[in-house]
């Protein structure tokens, strides 16, 4: 079975425009609506429509790094000193908004991240394959302890799953509607962009191989058709940390060699993800074009500042952001050789007064409104493209996730 690749951006037909050109059709539609208003209560059509969405999800199972970790762990929680730092103003992560939008009953998080300034400097952010990263570290650096990579997270999920089957926590309906999300690449590309181009490209190839090997493990152990959401890699050179840590005056990459490498690695990662997903035959995969989404946010803000609009209409409706370059929360001064978010903070973090207006929360992470836009955007896009076999929506409010997210 060839898996269709759904995209976030696309054209939608306009029924109002069609009806305005056909008064007769409008009259028929109006009569039909009046009839349904009278008939609906007696025929209980709403109940029948709701029953037709037989694959409404019961669970969202999350694998990934600090962009997906909501700090709630169903199994093997990290020690207290390594629990990720969460400010209330950060808001829910994108998977929580997705869970709220699709009305899931359970949000099982296996993603892992670090606190803002852990006392242990030997840890690195979660990547797809920790062995690949350890192998690429500079000579004499010594082996670095990694957070749980994808294979470790999948192993944790399998142990947790056996407990759920034993306790009969999951109903058949929940199993049919379970959706998996897998989003790595943030830390992978951050680290591999520092390698020479050949070694970096090889590291990405091995990472993609590992990713699909683990998707096969998930599919082999799941009794129903596997449904997986795979956001693409986002260009890390847009992150505030790239300027402060790499190309800025105190950065490690004044010649922007790492920057060119990172852009190429993002392209390689996403092309490989698309190609492998289109050949995958063990379920359905939804590809979310995160990088184009990011480009649109930055481009639209620039167009608004310049009082311009492009051919797609970007810039016409304004921008939701006060800033697409600066982070809402600062974290003090760091040495240039430290990983962003991992060094000692030179001062107490400063926070903006309007986090929702900042594209980035801190130097390495998206802000609360960005997470909301991604989670709700994925929910609405899949509902429109492939709704009946993925999850249910009972009107536009569900599709846009107006209710508070669940964790």
């Amino acid at each position: 079975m060839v898996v269709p690749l759904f995209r976030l951006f696309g054209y939608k037909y306009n029924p109002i425009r069609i009806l305005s050109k056909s008064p007769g059709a409008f009259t028929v539609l109006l009569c039909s609506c009046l009839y349904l208003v009278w008939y609906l209560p007696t025929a209980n059509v709403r109940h029948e429509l709701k029953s037709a969405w037989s694959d409404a999800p019961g669970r969202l199972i999350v694998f990934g790094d600090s962009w997906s970790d909501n700090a709630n762990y169903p199994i093997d929680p990290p020690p207290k000193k390594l629990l990720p730092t969460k400010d209330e103003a950060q808001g829910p992560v994108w998977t929580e908004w997705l869970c709220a939008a699709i009305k899931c009953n359970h949000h099982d998080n296996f993603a892992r991240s670090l606190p803002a300034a852990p006392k242990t400097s030997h840890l690195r952010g979660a990547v797809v394959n920790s062995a690949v990263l350890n192998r690429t570290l500079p000579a004499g650096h010594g082996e670095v302890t990694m957070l749980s990579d994808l294979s470790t997270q999948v192993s944790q999920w399998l142990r947790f799953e056996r407990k759920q089957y034993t306790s009969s926590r999951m109903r058949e309906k929940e199993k049919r509607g379970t959706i998996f999300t897998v989003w790595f690449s943030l830390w992978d590309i951050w680290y591999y962009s520092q390698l020479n181009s050949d070694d970096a490209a090889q590291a990405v190839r091995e990472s993609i191989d590992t990713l699909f090997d683990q998707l096969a493990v998930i599919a082999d152990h799941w009794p129903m058709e596997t449904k997986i959401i795979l956001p693409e890699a986002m260009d890390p050179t847009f992150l505030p940390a790239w300027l402060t840590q790499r190309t800025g005056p105190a950065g490690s990459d004044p010649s922007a060699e790492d920057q060119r490498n990172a852009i190429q690695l993002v392209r390689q990662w996403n092309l490989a993800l698309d190609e492998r997903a289109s050949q995958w035959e063990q379920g359905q995969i939804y590809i979310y074009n995160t990088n184009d989404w990011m480009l649109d946010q930055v481009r639209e803000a620039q167009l608004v500042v310049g009082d311009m609009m492009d051919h797609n209409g970007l810039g016409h409706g304004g921008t939701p952001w006060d800033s697409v370059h600066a982070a809402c929360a600062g974290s003090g001064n760091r040495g240039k050789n430290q990983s962003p978010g991992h060094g000692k903070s030179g001062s107490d973090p400063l926070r903006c007064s309007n986090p929702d207006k900042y594209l980035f929360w801190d130097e390495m992470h998206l802000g609360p409104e960005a997470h909301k836009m991604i989670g709700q955007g994925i929910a609405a896009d899949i509902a429109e493209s492939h709704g009946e076999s993925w999850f249910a929506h009972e009107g536009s409010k569900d599709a846009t996730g107006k209710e508070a997210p669940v964790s």
Side-chain angles (χ1 to χ4, degrees):
M1 177 182 70
V2 177
V3 182
L5 302 180
F6 303 111
R7 292 294 176 187
L8 177 63
F9 306 105
Y11 297 102
K12 301 178 177 67
Y13 86 97
N14 188 342
I16 302 302
R17 184 179 178 184
I18 294 172
L19 291 173
S20 67
K21 294 183 178 181
S22 178
F26 180 79
T27 302
V28 171
L29 179 61
L30 180 60
C31 292
S32 299
C33 290
L34 292 173
Y35 174 75
L36 287 175
V37 168
W38 169 79
Y39 183 72
L40 227 59
T42 57
N44 200 14
V45 174
R46 181 175 177 82
H47 174 75
E48 295 302 323
L49 287 173
K50 185 175 180 179
S51 298
W53 295 93
S54 58
D55 286 318
R59 294 176 73 192
L60 196 65
I61 299 175
V62 178
F63 303 106
D65 55 29
S66 54
W67 281 21
S68 301
D69 183 11
N70 72 348
N72 293 315
Y73 307 105
I75 194 171
D76 296 345
K80 187 175 181 179
K81 69 176 182 178
L82 293 180
L83 285 171
T85 306
K86 293 289 183 180
D87 189 305
E88 185 178 349
Q90 275 183 271
V93 295
W94 71 277
T95 56
E96 293 174 292
W97 285 111
L98 173 62
C99 188
I102 65 178
K103 306 295 185 184
C104 67
N105 301 320
H106 303 289
H107 178 287
D108 293 329
N109 171 55
F110 299 90
R112 291 296 185 270
S113 59
L114 289 172
K119 296 179 181 179
T120 50
S121 59
H122 63 284
L123 287 163
R124 296 292 180 103
V127 296
V128 171
N129 190 326
S130 294
V132 173
L133 179 54
N134 253 324
R135 194 187 68 231
T136 61
L137 293 173
H141 194 284
E143 185 165 297
V144 173
T145 303
M146 311 291 179
L147 292 180
S148 299
D149 62 9
L150 179 55
S151 62
T152 304
Q153 292 179 24
V154 170
S155 296
Q156 291 170 334
W157 166 69
L158 288 173
R159 286 193 290 108
F160 178 70
E161 208 63 32
R162 284 192 287 271
K163 292 172 58 179
Q164 305 318 301
Y165 283 122
T166 301
S167 64
S168 301
R169 169 176 177 255
M170 291 176 56
R171 304 188 303 271
E172 285 297 311
K173 183 177 179 181
E174 292 174 348
K175 294 177 186 177
R176 285 199 305 272
T178 295
I179 295 174
F180 298 84
T181 72
V182 183
W183 195 6
F184 287 86
S185 70
L186 169 66
W187 296 101
D188 307 72
I189 293 176
W190 179 271
Y191 295 132
Y192 298 146
S193 61
Q194 300 174 88
L195 306 175
N196 67 64
S197 57
D198 289 340
D199 289 344
Q202 178 61 26
V204 167
R205 282 193 291 271
E206 292 183 46
S207 298
I208 295 295
D209 286 343
T210 300
L211 192 154
F212 279 89
D213 287 345
Q214 292 305 310
L215 295 189
V217 172
I218 293 171
D220 289 342
H221 288 84
W222 191 245
M224 307 291 180
E225 182 182 38
T226 313
K227 301 163 188 172
I228 301 173
I229 294 172
L230 288 180
E232 291 186 344
M234 192 180 291
D235 185 347
T237 66
F238 285 109
L239 296 169
W242 196 271
L243 177 62
T244 59
Q245 298 291 310
R246 297 293 183 87
T247 55
S252 60
D253 184 36
S255 64
E257 187 62 33
D258 290 359
Q259 182 169 338
R260 289 187 287 272
N261 204 14
I263 293 170
Q264 178 58 37
L265 292 179
V266 170
R267 185 179 299 113
Q268 177 190 348
W269 186 288
N270 291 339
L271 286 173
L273 203 67
D274 285 1
E275 181 180 357
R276 294 288 293 271
S278 67
Q279 299 169 358
W280 203 62
E281 299 183 346
Q282 293 182 268
Q284 297 186 57
I285 291 180
Y286 167 90
I287 298 288
Y288 181 84
N289 197 330
T290 330
N291 203 43
D292 276 5
W293 177 86
M294 172 67 79
L295 286 170
D296 277 353
Q297 306 311 308
V298 175
R299 187 184 302 118
E300 185 173 50
Q302 293 170 340
L303 289 169
V304 169
V305 170
D307 195 23
M308 296 182 291
M309 180 178 69
D310 72 1
H311 64 283
N312 291 320
L314 278 180
H316 175 67
T319 174
W321 314 113
D322 285 351
S323 176
V324 295
H325 301 296
C328 173
S331 51
N333 299 317
R334 304 189 190 95
K336 73 176 187 178
N337 293 323
Q338 291 178 305
S339 296
H342 294 186
K344 291 182 179 180
S345 178
S347 62
D348 291 333
L350 302 175
R351 197 181 79 195
C352 65
S353 60
N354 50 345
D356 289 346
K357 293 294 185 179
Y358 279 71
L359 180 58
F360 297 104
W361 166 255
D362 60 20
E363 289 191 338
M364 287 294 290
H365 298 93
L366 294 170
E369 185 65 19
H371 276 282
K372 181 179 179 180
M373 291 170 69
I374 290 174
Q376 292 182 355
I378 290 176
D381 195 45
I382 299 180
E384 180 179 334
S385 303
H386 216 57
E388 289 194 30
S389 66
W390 279 67
F391 48 69
H393 288 288
E394 295 182 78
S396 60
K397 287 188 177 181
D398 292 351
T400 56
K402 294 293 186 182
E403 297 187 6
V406 298
S407 57

